[in-house]
Amino acid sequence: MTDFGSVRNARLPFFVTEEVSTLSPAASSVSGTASQTLPSAGARFALARPPGSGDAWLISQFVAQARETRRMMLVVSADALDAQRLVDEINYFDPSLVVRPLPDWETLPYDTLSPHQDLVSERLETLYRLSQPQSEIDVLVVSATSALYRLAPSQYVAGHTFFFTQGQTVHAEPLRAQLVFAGYQHVSQVVAPGEFAIRGGLIDLFPMGSALPFRLDLFGDQLDTIRAFDPDTQRGLYPVPEVRLLPGREFPIDEAARQGFRRRWRERIEGDPSRSSVYKDIGIGIASAGIEYYLPLFFDQTATLFDYLPADTIVVLHGPIDAAMARFWNETNERYRFLSRDVTRPIMPPADLFLDAEGFFTRARDYGRISLGEGLHEDFAALPQLSIERRADIPITRLRGFVDKFISEGPGQPHGRVLIVADSAGRRETISQMLTEYQLPFADNADFGAFLASDAKVGLGVAPLHEGFVLHPASLAIVTETELYAASPRRLRGRQRERASNVEAMIRDLAELRVGDPVVHVEHGIGRYLGLQSMDMGSGPTEFLHLEYANETTLYVPVAQLHLIGRYSGADPDAAPLHHLGSGDWDRARRKAAKQVRDTAAELLNLYALRAARKGHPFQFKQHDVEAFAEGFPFEETTDQKAAIEAVLKDMSAGFPMDRLVCGDVGFGKTEVALRAAFAAVADGKQVAVLCPTTLLAEQHMQTFRDRFNDWPVRIAELSRFRSSKE
């Protein structure tokens, strides 16, 4: 029997690699001898790319083996989407690995748009780590096009990084100028990387590459305390001994850098520089949008990604790298030919900004390389057809047949194991209900390691895997939602993390408040928010909300009491009637409102008591039938639309009279909520009536319902003035 607990730490005993002499990742002719070791500098091995997410598993094994000899691995993917998924998938298979992406700028060459600050922050963090003598990065993942971009020299990133430590002497005004020249933006409230705010002796700073901002509290000119704080609530979290401050941009913009930029512009770009707004803006310290595509003018010499890599790095070429690079160069040259005619914004030749494919492979030749290209890997296999048949009596027939066969032991063949993974915890619950309903036993598994360590034959978990695969030597099969819902036209291949919305939220954090906004204090009434202020009340510095009331009276509310502050809901915020502190006006208004609330509450209590005493019909329907009907919806549900559908279906199956109102603007999907509810009712043998305010709308809904129920044995009729008495 196979020891599955050791699979995770296997060191490639079954991978046959061949040394090749060509630099082409798609080489078909190979020579040399088989090897089971990682390639040394200058050597290149070729492997067939495993199917599905098997490539991430294979790379994770390579990285784990390379880490034993303190060698870093660079993965260059032909597809940018593959690069993004490999970061998550490699981490899933081995969470102990340090996996870093070098994200793309996500702008087209020569765009007049600058990259988003979050992307720049992540890039600078990665470049800083690479510039350190002992980088802790195990694997760096980058797309083929990003690998071609010329970069700032490693000395710039390392040399322009400095640290704040507790007890250090800090002068606020020189620091402000230093931060501005480093590329940081002065704001009233810090919420994003690259921002800072100075309020007296408090300095809020969100360093590039940091997950959280920090609050520096000065005592005179001495840095007294440093605390991380939540950018959403602005509340302090925990103290830290020091803060690392990376440069705010991938290029300098101090006086010396600006002079060098203008000098190199005159040397390398033809024409009158005074006609260019980019040239003039740099002269006064303004970085124009799209300035990143003038990066070589900031430095005497730029670097490439290879200049950041240790000499013993192993380079993995994932997919048709040369084709991706050739396509990028063709598109870049076309854009250059088209845009270079603008004399007011002259641009630099592509060769000054990017490596070409030949230059990339020439530099890569110095490193050990592993190519994952076309072909069949004998140790991996793609999964057979496993898609759920929504309208079958047993929708998981294919899955059950595969699982039963795969986990069965045969002559000389140990039993296999199957791990089924969902995209999210919510999807996992749906699949769990389906497997339970159709009696396919499984065990819950928190992660990949937990499954390998268990003795379960079938596991169910959550994983960021885009496609499943079979690993023959380990008798292991991983099944994802891609296989289970392969027929779904709405299934997203690229996953986006959803942000849940809470329609009941009032003021949950200070990011929702702006200076001058009217607010309502539970005890003191309507005032106006004038910002944050730090005061020492004897137990150390404390942050307060500064509220102004009538006659310019002031109230300071500790940030910890933010729950006492509510949003003002009057018609005109600028004309909000401020209450007088201590006058009793607010108490009288509260008592009057409380009496009205009690009267209304009594009426509602009586109404809901009557409703609670009544029993409703608990609709019975199968979840997979609802999902089958949902496949007819040609769009992806929004987060709020999905929440409304789930809430309505939950109410319908609860067994008490429903009391729910679905609100939404025109075109935001209310009809789809009604369609799902109608289907659930019809599936339980009930009739559904849809009331419309106009005849025209009745006609439109009639057509919509007929289209959606076209494949279902449901009769739909319309009752309006367009129909005869007989009809």
Side-chain angles (χ1 to χ4, degrees):
M1 182 176 293
T2 303
D3 180 8
F4 292 100
S6 63
V7 171
R8 181 177 177 181
N9 297 318
R11 288 296 175 262
L12 314 176
F14 46 84
F15 298 127
V16 179
T17 59
E18 295 177 293
E19 185 173 353
V20 297
S21 57
T22 176
L23 285 173
S24 170
S28 57
S29 61
V30 296
S31 62
T33 58
S35 172
Q36 294 181 355
T37 60
L38 295 174
S40 58
R44 179 170 178 263
F45 298 155
L47 281 172
R49 175 180 166 183
S53 296
D55 53 1
W57 189 90
L58 177 59
I59 292 172
S60 73
Q61 300 301 296
F62 282 138
V63 176
Q65 183 176 347
R67 185 172 58 176
E68 293 181 351
T69 55
R70 298 184 178 276
R71 299 178 70 183
M72 194 181 84
M73 187 164 286
L74 167 68
V75 179
V76 183
S77 175
D79 191 304
L81 294 179
D82 279 338
Q84 293 176 15
R85 73 166 178 85
L86 284 173
V87 172
D88 294 330
E89 293 183 359
I90 293 172
N91 249 332
Y92 171 74
F93 287 120
D94 192 344
S96 68
L97 298 176
V98 179
V99 185
R100 287 294 306 176
L102 182 65
D104 190 83
W105 279 343
E106 295 187 3
T107 59
L108 293 174
Y110 306 114
D111 257 354
T112 55
L113 298 172
S114 287
H116 193 278
Q117 280 293 89
D118 289 345
L119 293 174
V120 177
S121 175
E122 192 167 12
R123 285 173 60 88
L124 285 167
E125 170 69 14
T126 299
L127 293 177
Y128 174 78
R129 292 196 187 189
L130 289 172
S131 68
Q132 298 306 293
Q134 298 295 328
S135 175
E136 73 276 19
I137 296 177
D138 293 318
V139 55
L140 174 67
V141 183
V142 61
S143 67
T145 54
S146 294
L148 298 180
Y149 277 65
R150 297 190 183 274
L151 306 170
S154 59
Q155 298 88 342
Y156 163 73
V157 180
H160 286 72
T161 299
F162 56 95
F163 295 82
F164 290 114
T165 57
Q166 191 172 353
Q168 176 182 341
T169 299
V170 176
H171 301 287
E173 286 308 314
L175 175 61
R176 182 200 301 267
Q178 185 178 5
L179 289 172
V180 171
F181 282 128
Y184 284 75
Q185 182 181 4
H186 185 265
V187 296
S188 60
Q189 183 170 296
V190 171
V191 295
E195 296 180 344
F196 75 97
I198 298 180
R199 300 187 302 275
L202 284 180
I203 302 174
D204 286 353
L205 180 63
F206 205 142
M208 302 297 278
S210 174
L212 288 172
F214 299 93
R215 182 159 292 149
L216 285 60
D217 191 356
L218 302 182
F219 184 75
D221 290 335
Q222 187 177 35
L223 183 51
D224 190 29
T225 61
I226 307 174
R227 295 183 66 86
F229 69 91
D230 189 324
D232 294 327
T233 65
Q234 297 289 302
R235 298 178 182 177
L237 297 176
Y238 50 83
V240 295
E242 68 175 13
V243 172
R244 185 196 64 193
L245 191 68
L246 294 175
R249 299 186 179 95
E250 295 183 46
F251 52 87
I253 200 170
D254 54 17
E255 181 63 29
R258 298 201 307 271
Q259 291 180 1
F261 180 97
R262 289 158 66 89
R263 173 176 53 81
R264 297 183 192 96
W265 180 295
R266 293 189 296 269
E267 293 172 353
R268 302 174 64 172
I269 297 180
E270 297 180 356
D272 183 3
S274 63
R275 300 180 62 182
S276 172
S277 60
V278 176
Y279 181 87
K280 291 186 289 187
D281 286 346
I282 281 292
I284 57 177
I286 297 176
S288 304
I291 191 67
E292 290 75 15
Y293 289 101
Y294 296 91
L295 183 74
L297 300 181
F298 287 100
F299 305 100
D300 290 328
Q301 186 174 1
T302 55
T304 67
L305 181 59
F306 294 104
D307 296 318
Y308 282 83
L309 301 179
D312 59 352
T313 298
I314 301 169
V315 179
V316 176
L317 304 175
H318 182 276
I321 301 292
D322 50 353
M325 291 181 175
R327 185 167 56 251
F328 172 78
W329 259 90
N330 289 336
E331 294 171 355
T332 301
N333 281 319
E334 285 298 319
R335 288 181 62 81
Y336 175 73
R337 282 192 290 269
F338 178 74
L339 297 172
S340 60
R341 302 169 186 172
D342 186 356
V343 295
T344 63
R345 191 182 177 92
I347 57 179
M348 305 190 70
D352 291 348
L353 298 171
F354 313 100
L355 282 173
D356 58 13
E358 182 180 356
F360 173 86
F361 287 116
T362 299
R363 293 295 305 272
R365 187 182 301 164
D366 297 331
Y367 299 86
R369 286 149 291 144
I370 301 174
S371 294
L372 298 180
E374 297 295 328
L376 297 176
H377 199 300
E378 62 181 11
D379 295 311
F380 293 84
L383 290 167
Q385 175 66 263
L386 300 178
S387 60
I388 291 173
E389 301 171 275
R390 303 273 194 182
R391 301 177 188 178
D393 292 336
I394 303 179
I396 62 171
T397 300
R398 293 170 178 166
L399 177 63
R400 181 195 294 277
F402 170 77
V403 170
D404 290 344
K405 181 179 179 181
F406 194 82
I407 66 176
S408 299
E409 294 189 62
Q413 177 69 32
H415 74 74
R417 306 177 72 196
V418 178
L419 175 61
I420 303 171
V421 294
D423 293 346
S424 64
R427 293 295 305 159
R428 182 210 163 282
E429 289 303 313
T430 298
I431 295 175
S432 173
Q433 293 173 9
M434 180 176 61
L435 298 182
T436 302
E437 180 179 353
Y438 295 102
Q439 300 178 353
L440 179 59
F442 64 91
D444 290 328
N445 294 106
D447 53 41
F448 186 64
F451 175 71
L452 294 181
S454 71
D455 57 359
K457 293 184 178 181
V458 181
L460 177 62
V462 178
L465 305 182
H466 88 293
E467 194 173 332
F469 60 94
V470 175
L471 183 60
H472 290 309
S475 298
L476 174 67
I478 296 181
V479 180
T480 71
E481 288 196 55
T482 300
E483 291 77 47
L484 296 181
Y485 302 100
S488 170
R490 299 182 299 112
R491 173 158 177 79
L492 294 179
R493 293 295 184 264
R495 296 171 178 82
Q496 297 180 347
R497 302 190 183 277
E498 299 178 351
R499 294 183 178 180
S501 63
N502 183 359
V503 296
E504 298 175 343
M506 294 294 284
I507 294 179
R508 301 300 188 200
D509 56 69
L510 294 177
E512 299 180 18
L513 287 177
R514 297 291 179 266
V515 173
D517 284 353
V519 295
V520 181
H521 191 285
V522 171
E523 300 295 336
H524 303 287
I526 302 172
R528 197 170 296 278
Y529 172 68
L530 297 184
L532 282 176
Q533 187 162 335
S534 179
M535 294 186 291
D536 192 341
M537 307 303 292
S539 58
T542 305
E543 295 160 336
F544 293 84
L545 280 74
H546 181 190
L547 304 184
E548 183 183 70
Y549 283 80
N551 298 329
E552 298 183 354
T553 52
T554 296
L555 177 69
Y556 293 102
V557 181
V559 170
Q561 297 180 12
L562 183 62
H563 60 281
L564 299 178
I565 307 297
R567 196 188 306 277
Y568 174 74
S569 57
D572 185 3
D574 294 332
L578 304 184
H579 284 102
H580 292 78
L581 286 178
S583 67
D585 293 344
W586 175 242
D587 288 336
R588 286 191 291 273
R590 289 176 62 190
R591 285 195 296 269
K592 181 179 179 181
K595 183 178 183 304
Q596 294 175 342
V597 168
R598 282 194 297 271
D599 294 342
T600 303
E603 296 175 6
L604 290 175
L605 185 62
N606 181 56
L607 175 62
Y608 279 94
L610 293 174
R611 286 181 175 174
R614 295 174 54 195
K615 287 188 177 181
H617 174 73
F619 287 89
Q620 304 292 327
F621 49 86
K622 294 183 178 180
Q623 183 63 31
H624 73 85
D625 286 339
V626 175
E627 292 185 356
F629 178 76
E631 293 302 324
F633 186 47
F635 308 102
E636 186 69 16
E637 300 97 336
T638 65
T639 303
D640 291 333
Q641 187 181 30
K642 188 181 299 183
I645 292 171
E646 292 174 355
V648 168
L649 294 179
K650 182 179 179 181
D651 284 354
M652 292 179 66
S653 59
F656 55 80
M658 184 187 295
D659 182 24
R660 183 173 295 277
L661 175 66
V662 177
C663 300
D665 288 340
V666 175
F668 275 70
K670 298 185 298 296
T671 303
E672 182 61 24
V673 179
L675 281 162
R676 304 282 178 93
F679 177 84
V682 171
D684 195 34
K686 302 297 182 181
Q687 284 185 312
V688 176
V690 180
L691 303 180
C692 303
T694 65
T695 305
L696 179 60
L697 194 58
E699 287 284 328
Q700 293 174 347
H701 282 327
M702 174 68 174
Q703 188 59 50
T704 299
F705 272 69
R706 279 181 173 171
D707 291 343
R708 288 297 306 281
F709 282 91
N710 183 53
D711 295 333
W712 298 87
V714 177
R715 182 183 176 187
I716 300 174
E718 178 190 359
L719 181 62
S720 72
R721 61 186 177 86
F722 291 154
R723 298 292 176 261
S724 64
S725 300
K726 183 178 180 180
E727 290 177 314

